[in-house]
Amino acid sequence: METISHKLGAIWRETLKTLKLIARNKIGLLGFVMLIGLILMSYLGPLVIAPEVRADVSQIYKPPSWEHPLGTDFQGRENWVMLVHGGAEVITVAFLAGLLTTMIAVVVGAFSAFLGGKADEVIMTFTDLWLALPRGILLIVTAYFVSLEDVWALALFLSFFGWPSLARQVRSQFLSLKKREYVEAAQLLNLGTPHIVFREMMPNMMSYILIALIESMTGAIYSQTYLVFLGLVPFGNNWGVLFSLAYAKNAIYNPNAMASLLVPMGGIVALQLSLIMFSRSLEEIFNPRLRTGV
Amino acid sequence: MTPKNQNNPSTLSIRNLTIEYQAKRGAVQAVRSIDLEIYRSEALALIGESGSGKTTIGLGIVRLLPSTAKIRTGEMIFRRYNKTDYKLEEEFDVLKLNEREMRQFRWKECAMVFQAALNAFNPVLKIKDQFGDTARAHGYLQGEALKKRAYELFDLVRLDPERVWNSYPHELSGGMRQRVLIALGLLLDPPMLILDEPTTALDILTQRNIMDVLKELRDKLRFSLVFISHDLSLAAELADRIATVYAGRIVELGNVYDTFQNPRHPYTIGLMSAVPTLTTHRDNVSSIPGSPPDLIDMPTGCKFHPRCPLAVEKCVREEPALVPTTGPDHLAACWRWMEAKQFLMPNVK
Amino acid sequence: MSENSKTKPWSERILKNYAVQTIFKKIFIIWVVVTLSFLIVRGLPGNPVEIMVLNLMDSQGISEDEARTRAASLLRLDLDAPLYVQYFDFLGNLVQGDLGESYVLARGKPVTEIVFQRLPWTLFSVGTSLLISFTVGMFLGMLAAYRRGSMLDQVLTNLSAMIGAVPNTLWAIILVLLLGVVWKIMPLNLMRGSLSPGIKPGFTLEFFVDLFKHWAVPGTVYVLTTLGGWMLAMRSSTVSVLGDDYVTVARARGLPDFRIITAYVGRNASLPLVTALAISIGFLLGGSTVIEFIFVYQGVGLLMSQAITKRDYPVMQGILLVTTITVIISTAIADLLYGWLDPRIRTSGGENAE
Amino acid sequence: MTPPLIELKHLTRRFQVKRNLSITAVSDVSLSISAGEIVCLVGESGCGKTTTGKMIAGLLKPSEGEILFNGQDISHLKKDEWEKYRLGVQMIHQDPYASLNPSHTIYDIVSAPLKAHRKTGSDAATRAAAIELLESVDLTPASDFLDKFPHQLSGGQRQRVSVARALTVNPKFIIADEAVSMVDVSIRISLLNTLLKLKEKNGLAVLFITHDLALAKYFAWDGRVGVMYLGKLVEVAPARQLVEAPQHPYTKVLLSAIPEADPERTRHKERIELRSMDVPSLLRLPSGCAFHPRCPYFAGEKCEKVIPQLTFFNDDSAVACHPVAEKRLLQIRN
């Protein structure tokens, strides 16, 4: 009991400290605020704003105006309503895929580093093999054959392709941490594996994992976008689908229709940018040289 | 053996040199208005602990300080003499040179051999190419002539020329790399050579070998040698004069024999008794209390006073200047230099 | 010791050889992809062969039995034989360079022929772009590293990270919109296709000018999306090299800045990027699918998206295989390049370890 | 007679470098250390002294040979006995900047083992114990240090924290691996004196690993010094005797090579020249005595062919050298 509350307390302290540090970097803070804004819009917005279900033929591809703040799409639906409703799926997939990728990578990398010897060799050979494959094409081909029907399937699929290079990095991080003298001292003092992993190694790994998580998220958004565009992810009315539908319905040659391309695109770009900005400040915060200079 | 200072003109006159580093908490006062003469063909040792400012002095002479460092005040007059008749040829302030002139000055007038010689060579270029680079940058010999010159130098530093010339740095051991670097330092026959902790990372036997090489080279080539180290015994073996550096200042400066027999500054005495040697009795070894000062927030008066067993009220108030003591050539910056040895080394004659 | 190694059987010595091991590894990777592509067509629950049969019946108006025979001949497989026999047949055909025939996109044409017709276009567009973004990225990365902390560095690093974060699909559309529709700088037909109608490939100025004109926009997309990555990688690599002792020593030796920047900093800082280059080729070829789709650029990527929509399995298999081999060859080249740039790898057989 | 606290018997450790290439970092080392004794292990980098220390600490498993603790082979210990042994042998690392976790306070660092092994009950008791420990390593006033992070401390202070951390589990034996080499010269001695004080007070045995013979002599004034060369123990003797009357040629060469902090003496010191400057690679160790290609007292075929064994003499010293052993045996017989 005591240790759990102690751990929670430590996590909470760490979080508070991190929030304070985020506020020190302007770009990072902006990214953080943007990200929170997008999340609020995408998850709370649909609760307040009813989805567009009507198809109004008279209102197809209207440019932005007072009546239609962000214009209308090829079915005459309000683009701004679609924007609010189309975010949750993209963010969920990004977050799930990022989380899964990072988890697989951390588990594989950590296991490989801890087991060492033959097991390490086998795992790393496999990882290298994965890295040497033309994963871009493989992603497309398999996406065609594997039916990706919900966010979980898509997230799982993306993380299946995303983990190897991160696993390699995690492994080398773990190896270098394992050799740190304070970890050796903790072993000598018999402080137990949980203590060594969670109290000695993890706090010095967290920053790294956090940044990797964000990188995996942006990677997932990236791949997601082109799989959707190629028509390999058939579900949902998310930003990616909206944008490729608009493209398919010739919005690109119709100046009045440009909004229905740009609005979902803006959603994706804003999400990517907020993540990137946020991660760049994280990098700065966790940079040990800057940190010890505090 | 020791060159007489009076009739031995100086190669480099450092006057009122002040160097600061910019840190988050404030200015790190690494070097505080130092005056120092480096005479022609003498060996001067700068000794002190890490953070005392000795390396900064070395880097300052060749102006290779990191970008956070600023030379606040001072001048460094460099004099070049004719190699045959020792007539003064040229005199200039190193701090006033422009970038191009500075590039020519480095290595040709003053070569610096760094602490971590293990990584002093570009790992992707062969030794011969790195010699070629240096020679080309200074319009020196090329081709066969350069090779011949390098082979002579390798012989001097006791290396097998054939093997070294065509090697990549990683194919040589640490001691070999250090000697190659010394050979490279001598390539342009500079009047001055700075060695920063040249043997620190090396094994005792390799260290011995390099010391012997250095002594031999100095007798043969007669360059001025500035030797930066925390190791008193290396200084004892190699130097003509010793300058003890503490908190960015020279606190004692004198002939090597004189300094070891009659140290005048409590810090020098402290250092001498803090390092056990093979022959000292255990009871004669003692550490200096306290720890080196924070260079951003320094104590008042004499910077050594918080650790000094002789400190009196005056030491807290006023910082002593580096002044002559028993002779004009033995200087110390201590209010109580006269009593220092008697108090701190009672059982040494 | 040395006598001992001489008495070892020659077979063992060959197997221990680094180059031989590398070749085995590469062959193994190809085998994995081949098996994968076989399993995709024959082993997956969706049963692509049945779909193919239906497709053939539909499009050519033939009976099911006829369609099955036709499918079998297109895939060069006996569909009634046990799976392992089919697998070995497939491998056997492959070794002879026979990947079957296309049945929708170009009826009856050997897949190898179709793919090799398209491959040069993709290799040209992707290769040129990679070369540009790699070189420019290295240059900008070094610039940012030298001026680290400055305004320029801030702008470069932030901007490049953000440009790189926008998916290439979006960049393609944005460029078409801006250049073709909004500003009307570039005629839309120049952004479509890989050559203007009527221009024949050959060593003519006309051909090369047209080639580059058509490459310009898709090429820009490749460059935009990859440049930032190279720049940031080069920046961090250069920053660490700048802290290395040999750079300070090189300055102390009075070497000219140009020499230090190129031979001392540049060469060492670019070493880790060479490995990354190898990995990125695999991704770029994949990324070409969507770009070529948008620009109707006649490369393997477009072929891939066509094969997917038309369910032309032999062509899909063929592309997967050929791109795998391309990637493997390029990684091998990158490996060689790395060895050539870094002497420590070259002589690793020695015993100079201290 | 009670067995020595720690006894190394023919300890050997090999490392796999490549698939079929291994080096022997430690080869056939035998040494015993009694309770409360100080032994220094001296040698140049790569001679195997750190590997030996790590094997004793249980961080590495020996390839051959055994380590006896109070007469018991530690590889046969049961789990709880093994844990007891583990805690009884602690290590002080070389690098004060890497041996303390940067994200923990000094209190976190010292209290973690106290809590893990239920040494103290309440938080207040833990705090009191931590203060007592810090004061025992001369970090006073201890309360000033408890809430600081390692980066706020100097190198010497950090090493003191490392010592305090090791003391939390009441060890019988401490391995100090180059523990003062990265600390400012002016405070090295006071750190060593703290260790000496603890040795007296707690009856600790210390294995001090260093490359500095002068420091070894100072620290092991009443103890012994062992000299290692390329994985082998070549000479063991009482500290002062080893420095003043070295037996093994390698020890002699080392001693003659060390510069002295006295210009008069160091410039006129007699130097023994080596036959070769090159240190052989561990991958290709010379046959026979590993020192023979460099040995100034090289005595022919036997040195080339036969590996000399560490031979003990009645003055509590041992040497692994054919000519020396023969000469001394002759002296003893006469």
Side-chain angles (χ1 to χ4, degrees):
Chain A
M1 276 307 278
E2 199 235 358
T3 52
I4 292 171
S5 68
H6 184 80
K7 256 175 226 161
L8 282 177
I11 291 169
W12 174 240
R13 272 201 306 274
E14 196 71 16
T15 318
L16 261 187
K17 211 165 70 189
T18 313
L19 282 176
K20 264 184 214 154
L21 286 166
I22 288 169
R24 289 192 347 177
N25 183 295
K26 278 179 212 141
I27 291 179
L29 187 65
L30 186 63
F32 187 66
V33 170
M34 259 169 79
L35 187 62
I36 297 291
L38 284 169
I39 289 173
L40 288 180
M41 179 189 88
S42 302
Y43 290 91
L44 296 183
L47 303 179
V48 186
I49 295 148
E52 281 277 63
V53 279
R54 76 202 159 97
D56 189 342
V57 192
S58 66
Q59 297 295 322
I60 288 174
Y61 283 155
K62 292 286 181 212
S65 64
W66 281 112
E67 203 182 333
H68 310 289
L70 291 175
T72 59
D73 74 354
F74 67 101
Q75 289 186 340
R77 297 177 295 188
E78 287 290 347
N79 278 332
W80 72 272
V81 179
M82 303 307 285
L83 179 72
V84 169
H85 282 266
E89 233 165 52
V90 178
I91 299 175
T92 309
V93 169
F95 191 71
L96 282 179
L99 211 61
L100 282 170
T101 308
T102 316
M103 263 167 57
I104 299 174
V106 168
V107 169
V108 171
F111 256 94
S112 200
F114 262 114
L115 295 175
K118 275 273 177 289
D120 182 35
E121 212 173 291
V122 169
I123 295 173
M124 279 305 118
T125 310
F126 185 67
T127 311
D128 283 345
L129 195 108
W130 231 163
L131 275 173
L133 293 176
R135 277 175 300 151
I137 287 270
L138 214 56
L139 187 79
I140 291 167
V141 174
T142 28
Y144 172 69
F145 288 101
V146 179
S147 47
L148 299 168
E149 273 157 2
D150 57 23
V151 280
W152 275 98
L154 181 57
L156 204 65
F157 180 75
L158 289 175
S159 43
F160 181 68
F161 280 88
W163 64 269
S165 66
L166 184 56
R168 253 202 168 288
Q169 294 167 34
V170 169
R171 172 179 170 271
S172 62
Q173 277 278 321
F174 255 94
L175 279 182
S176 90
L177 271 178
K178 201 172 128 186
K179 266 187 274 166
R180 272 323 133 76
E181 292 175 351
Y182 57 82
V183 174
E184 220 169 75
Q187 278 176 306
L188 285 170
L189 290 162
N190 219 347
L191 296 182
T193 314
H195 176 96
I196 292 173
V197 172
F198 292 107
R199 297 276 293 133
E200 304 285 342
M201 292 173 88
M202 274 304 182
N204 295 297
M205 257 317 258
M206 260 342 271
S207 59
Y208 186 80
I209 291 174
L210 222 59
I211 289 165
L213 172 71
I214 287 184
E215 266 170 26
S216 320
M217 282 171 75
T218 57
I221 297 171
Y222 202 110
S223 316
Q224 189 190 154
T225 310
Y226 77 69
L227 287 184
V228 168
F229 194 80
L230 288 173
L232 297 169
V233 181
F235 63 85
N237 252 340
N238 62 51
W239 294 338
V241 172
L242 291 176
F243 148 79
S244 60
L245 277 177
Y247 178 78
K249 302 284 178 189
N250 281 329
I252 199 163
Y253 307 114
N254 181 350
N256 285 340
M258 222 172 279
S260 35
L261 266 181
L262 290 178
V263 167
M265 214 154 142
I268 297 172
V269 171
L271 181 59
Q272 285 284 68
L273 288 190
S274 64
L275 285 169
I276 287 283
M277 279 154 75
F278 181 49
S279 87
R280 289 190 61 68
S281 75
L282 281 187
E283 261 166 51
E284 201 176 300
I285 292 167
F286 288 118
N287 188 329
R289 264 174 296 170
L290 295 173
R291 208 183 187 189
T292 49
V294 175
Chain B
M1 195 170 157
T2 317
K4 279 276 172 292
N5 300 337
Q6 287 79 0
N7 48 28
N8 192 20
S10 82
T11 300
L12 187 72
S13 308
I14 299 174
R15 300 226 195 293
N16 193 28
L17 183 69
T18 302
I19 303 175
E20 283 178 5
Y21 289 97
Q22 238 28 73
K24 268 196 185 143
R25 285 196 297 133
V28 179
Q29 296 169 280
V31 174
R32 301 182 299 128
S33 60
I34 276 185
D35 292 308
L36 185 64
E37 297 289 329
I38 296 158
Y39 298 110
R40 203 177 63 207
S41 65
E42 78 159 338
L44 172 75
L46 296 177
I47 56 166
E49 292 175 85
S50 56
S52 61
K54 55 192 196 309
T55 296
T56 308
I57 298 174
L59 289 172
I61 293 174
V62 285
R63 283 172 59 191
L64 280 173
L65 293 160
S67 57
T68 50
K70 279 258 151 29
I71 298 180
R72 287 274 170 234
T73 61
E75 54 179 15
M76 290 194 293
I77 308 296
F78 187 87
R79 296 183 191 81
R80 195 182 41 234
Y81 302 92
N82 189 299
K83 294 219 164 94
T84 45
D85 60 7
Y86 303 115
K87 278 228 179 68
L88 184 66
E89 275 184 340
E90 207 186 341
E91 186 177 298
F92 52 85
D93 185 348
V94 178
L95 294 178
K96 293 217 170 79
L97 297 179
N98 64 28
E99 260 311 303
R100 197 182 49 81
E101 290 163 336
M102 198 59 221
R103 247 200 321 270
Q104 287 306 309
F105 173 78
R106 287 177 193 144
W107 220 255
K108 191 168 187 186
E109 310 291 356
C110 175
M112 182 158 180
V113 174
F114 287 88
Q115 201 158 12
L118 294 184
N119 306 314
F121 289 101
N122 184 348
V124 300
L125 292 182
K126 286 186 173 181
I127 297 298
K128 64 173 176 191
D129 296 322
Q130 310 205 31
F131 270 73
D133 273 347
T134 314
R136 203 174 308 113
H138 296 278
Y140 192 66
L141 307 169
Q142 279 295 315
E144 278 305 307
L146 173 68
K147 186 174 168 182
K148 201 170 149 261
R149 165 84 180 140
Y151 274 39
E152 285 168 16
L153 290 169
F154 289 148
D155 276 333
L156 275 181
V157 296
R158 306 183 196 171
L159 282 169
D160 171 12
E162 294 291 340
R163 180 175 164 203
V164 172
W165 186 241
N166 252 318
S167 293
Y168 283 103
H170 71 273
E171 295 168 325
L172 306 172
S173 72
M176 287 165 90
R177 264 179 267 176
Q178 183 64 279
R179 279 176 287 162
V180 174
L181 189 61
I182 292 171
L184 183 58
L186 299 170
L187 180 68
L188 307 171
D189 201 4
M192 191 160 135
L193 186 65
I194 302 175
L195 302 173
D196 186 1
E197 303 273 11
T199 59
T200 305
L202 302 172
D203 290 332
I204 298 158
L205 298 180
T206 318
Q207 180 180 323
R208 161 58 41 211
N209 184 250
I210 288 181
M211 296 288 285
D212 293 345
V213 163
L214 282 174
K215 276 198 281 190
E216 209 177 289
L217 286 175
R218 248 184 36 80
D219 288 345
K220 265 188 202 143
L221 303 175
R222 313 295 300 156
F223 45 81
S224 308
L225 180 68
V226 178
F227 185 91
I228 299 168
S229 179
H230 67 270
D231 191 337
L232 278 168
S233 49
L234 294 188
E237 183 155 348
L238 211 59
D240 300 320
R241 285 194 305 152
I242 291 187
T244 315
V245 187
Y246 189 78
R249 275 225 160 150
I250 294 173
V251 294
E252 179 162 3
L253 177 64
N255 173 300
V256 63
Y257 293 94
D258 210 18
T259 306
F260 273 95
Q261 273 144 25
N262 294 303
R264 291 303 178 204
H265 198 282
Y267 178 64
T268 315
I269 298 170
L271 272 184
M272 284 177 181
S273 39
V275 182
T277 69
L278 293 174
T279 45
T280 38
H281 190 274
R282 181 186 206 173
D283 297 342
N284 291 341
V285 181
S286 60
S287 65
I288 307 177
S291 48
D294 177 358
L295 293 179
I296 295 176
D297 185 18
M298 272 199 266
T300 56
C302 172
K303 307 309 173 214
F304 189 62
H305 86 253
R307 307 175 74 184
C308 183
L310 297 180
V312 289
E313 195 262 335
K314 190 180 188 186
C315 306
V316 183
R317 215 166 3 97
E318 212 177 323
E319 183 164 21
L322 187 66
V323 292
T325 56
T326 36
D329 295 335
H330 193 159
L331 297 85
C334 177
W335 296 122
R336 304 187 66 187
W337 64 263
M338 271 185 278
E339 303 129 284
K341 191 191 169 195
Q342 186 190 335
F343 267 103
L344 299 171
M345 303 171 84
N347 35 6
V348 179
K349 286 166 268 131
Chain C
M1 281 302 273
S2 58
E3 279 122 311
N4 200 1
S5 68
K6 261 178 212 153
T7 53
K8 271 183 196 158
W10 62 269
S11 56
E12 194 179 322
R13 261 188 291 152
I14 283 189
L15 285 174
K16 294 271 152 62
N17 183 300
Y18 175 74
V20 174
Q21 279 184 350
T22 314
I23 290 170
F24 268 118
K25 231 179 190 166
K26 309 260 173 208
I27 291 175
F28 180 69
I29 292 170
I30 295 177
W31 173 77
V32 168
V33 173
V34 166
T35 310
L36 216 68
S37 79
F38 174 80
L39 284 177
I40 280 171
V41 176
R42 292 299 295 128
L44 274 178
N47 208 347
V49 172
E50 290 312 314
I51 297 170
M52 187 172 168
V53 169
L54 286 177
N55 221 330
L56 281 168
M57 285 163 66
D58 222 34
S59 61
Q60 298 180 17
I62 46 179
S63 70
E64 192 183 337
D65 283 347
E66 268 180 277
R68 279 191 83 80
T69 331
R70 182 98 187 89
S73 91
L74 286 174
L75 286 170
R76 306 277 195 272
L77 292 176
D78 180 1
L79 294 176
D80 299 321
L83 210 58
Y84 73 91
V85 175
Q86 293 185 33
Y87 177 61
F88 283 113
D89 279 352
F90 178 72
L91 284 186
N93 288 332
L94 215 81
V95 173
Q96 292 163 36
D98 190 349
L99 295 171
E101 285 169 19
S102 157
Y103 75 103
V104 188
L105 289 177
R107 202 172 294 166
K109 219 175 179 186
V111 167
T112 356
E113 201 178 304
I114 305 176
V115 176
F116 277 110
Q117 212 172 19
R118 297 286 193 93
L119 193 62
W121 296 98
T122 300
L123 287 183
F124 164 73
S125 69
V126 170
T128 313
S129 316
L130 190 60
L131 206 69
I132 292 176
S133 81
F134 188 70
T135 345
V136 176
M138 287 218 298
F139 174 75
L140 290 180
M142 276 186 81
L143 195 68
Y146 264 94
R147 304 244 182 289
R148 66 183 172 285
S150 72
M151 200 59 199
L152 179 78
D153 176 33
Q154 297 269 331
V155 170
L156 276 179
T157 43
N158 287 322
L159 206 65
S160 66
M162 286 171 189
I163 290 173
V166 177
N168 51 5
T169 330
L170 302 191
W171 271 125
I173 306 288
I174 291 170
L175 286 182
V176 172
L177 266 179
L178 288 180
L179 299 175
V181 182
V182 180
W183 296 333
K184 297 196 168 48
I185 297 173
M186 198 166 221
L188 283 168
N189 62 347
L190 246 191
M191 293 190 236
R192 299 216 142 191
S194 39
L195 270 189
S196 299
I199 291 181
K200 293 235 149 41
F203 280 99
T204 57
L205 182 67
E206 202 188 13
F207 167 69
F208 281 108
V209 169
D210 196 62
L211 187 68
F212 275 99
K213 272 186 182 163
H214 281 275
W215 166 83
V217 185
T220 311
V221 176
Y222 291 126
V223 172
L224 277 179
T225 44
T226 51
L227 183 68
W230 295 124
M231 204 207 97
L232 293 178
M234 188 62 182
R235 183 186 179 274
S236 73
S237 174
T238 308
V239 166
S240 92
V241 168
L242 280 176
D244 279 345
D245 294 321
Y246 57 84
V247 177
T248 319
V249 175
R251 276 214 288 276
R253 280 155 59 195
L255 299 195
D257 288 339
F258 182 75
R259 181 72 185 160
I260 297 179
I261 289 170
T262 51
Y264 285 70
V265 179
R267 198 166 151 191
N268 284 291
S270 58
L271 284 178
L273 270 77
V274 174
T275 325
L277 182 69
I279 293 172
S280 77
I281 295 167
F283 257 116
L284 262 179
L285 278 178
S288 75
T289 310
V290 68
I291 301 300
E292 292 183 357
F293 175 72
I294 291 171
F295 293 105
V296 205
Y297 189 91
Q298 305 288 319
V300 281
L302 182 64
L303 189 66
M304 183 59 142
S305 58
Q306 287 165 339
I308 285 175
T309 40
K310 297 272 164 62
R311 307 184 166 186
D312 199 335
Y313 303 115
V315 175
M316 279 163 82
Q317 282 184 327
I319 293 174
L320 188 55
L321 212 66
V322 171
T323 42
T324 306
I325 293 170
T326 316
V327 167
I328 281 167
I329 291 172
S330 13
T331 12
I333 293 172
D335 280 351
L336 282 177
L337 197 68
Y338 191 82
W340 177 69
L341 283 171
D342 191 348
R344 284 165 293 187
I345 301 294
R346 230 180 301 160
T347 46
S348 66
E351 294 178 9
N352 283 298
E354 278 176 57
Chain D
M1 198 184 110
T2 51
L5 183 68
I6 298 268
E7 193 171 4
L8 314 180
K9 279 192 169 167
H10 308 290
L11 209 56
T12 296
R13 171 71 199 199
R14 278 181 286 272
F15 287 104
Q16 200 80 18
V17 186
K18 280 181 204 156
R19 192 157 292 170
N20 14 325
L21 200 63
S22 68
I23 56 164
T24 308
V26 173
S27 159
D28 197 16
V29 166
S30 299
L31 183 69
S32 64
I33 300 154
S34 316
E37 191 188 13
I38 290 187
V39 174
C40 286
L41 221 43
V42 180
E44 311 201 47
S45 57
C47 72
K49 51 192 198 298
T50 297
T51 308
T52 308
K54 286 196 169 176
M55 281 193 282
I56 301 173
L59 289 168
L60 286 173
K61 287 228 173 335
S63 305
E64 276 164 40
E66 50 194 24
I67 299 169
L68 305 183
F69 178 62
N70 288 331
Q72 263 185 303
D73 184 344
I74 62 162
S75 63
H76 298 322
L77 291 179
K78 284 195 211 76
K79 193 170 177 280
D80 55 328
E81 282 181 321
W82 164 251
E83 276 176 11
K84 233 170 96 192
Y85 169 76
R86 231 321 178 26
L87 292 178
V89 178
Q90 289 297 318
M91 203 163 167
I92 314 291
H93 289 91
Q94 172 178 15
D95 185 351
Y97 298 89
S99 54
L100 304 179
N101 193 329
S103 54
H104 292 181
T105 63
I106 305 307
Y107 176 70
D108 290 338
I109 290 166
V110 179
S111 65
L114 289 174
K115 286 176 184 162
H117 302 294
R118 307 270 182 279
K119 299 261 178 207
T120 50
S122 63
D123 270 6
T126 311
R127 215 174 162 81
I131 287 179
E132 195 185 320
L133 279 165
L134 289 182
E135 284 182 347
S136 74
V137 295
D138 303 321
L139 281 173
T140 45
S143 49
D144 281 6
F145 292 94
L146 280 180
D147 297 317
K148 284 194 169 153
F149 283 94
H151 70 80
Q152 295 166 305
L153 267 55
S154 73
Q157 289 168 336
R158 289 178 200 216
Q159 286 303 63
R160 289 175 189 279
V161 175
S162 288
V163 177
R165 176 178 60 189
L167 293 178
T168 51
V169 291
N170 292 324
K172 293 271 168 299
F173 188 56
I174 281 193
I175 300 161
D177 183 6
E178 298 271 11
V180 296
S181 67
M182 287 176 74
V183 171
D184 276 324
V185 286
S186 64
I187 44 186
R188 272 182 198 171
I189 292 302
S190 71
L191 192 56
L192 289 182
N193 287 344
T194 301
L195 274 176
L196 285 173
K197 184 186 84 188
L198 290 167
K199 177 224 157 211
E200 290 302 326
K201 207 177 88 188
N202 304 357
L204 279 172
V206 183
L207 180 71
F208 184 72
I209 297 170
T210 178
H211 61 272
D212 186 339
L213 262 167
L215 209 59
K217 182 189 169 191
Y218 173 82
F219 189 62
W221 193 257
D222 300 314
R224 286 178 300 151
V225 173
V227 178
M228 286 187 79
Y229 181 72
L230 294 177
K232 279 205 147 58
L233 200 56
V234 295
E235 180 167 4
V236 186
R240 280 168 285 168
Q241 182 191 324
L242 184 114
V243 170
E244 281 147 25
Q247 297 293 315
H248 196 279
Y250 177 65
T251 319
K252 287 184 183 170
V253 171
L254 273 185
L255 285 165
S256 89
I258 296 171
E260 305 254 4
D262 178 342
E264 208 58 78
R265 198 181 308 135
T266 195
R267 289 174 200 213
H268 300 104
K269 196 170 168 175
E270 196 193 333
R271 309 271 179 226
I272 306 171
E273 289 292 322
L274 285 170
R275 293 202 300 149
S276 150
M277 265 320 292
D278 299 325
V279 186
S281 158
L282 279 170
L283 289 167
R284 275 178 301 183
L285 277 185
S287 59
C289 172
F291 191 55
H292 88 255
R294 309 173 74 195
C295 183
Y297 305 104
F298 175 64
E301 207 177 319
K302 195 169 181 193
C303 294
E304 269 176 342
K305 297 244 167 89
V306 187
I307 298 177
Q309 298 300 313
L310 197 66
T311 321
F312 273 87
F313 303 100
N314 48 6
D315 58 353
D316 203 19
S317 68
V319 73
C321 173
H322 296 303
V324 171
E326 279 159 20
K327 208 168 77 199
R328 294 201 61 184
L329 283 173
L330 217 71
Q331 279 172 356
I332 289 166
R333 257 179 233 136
N334 298 340

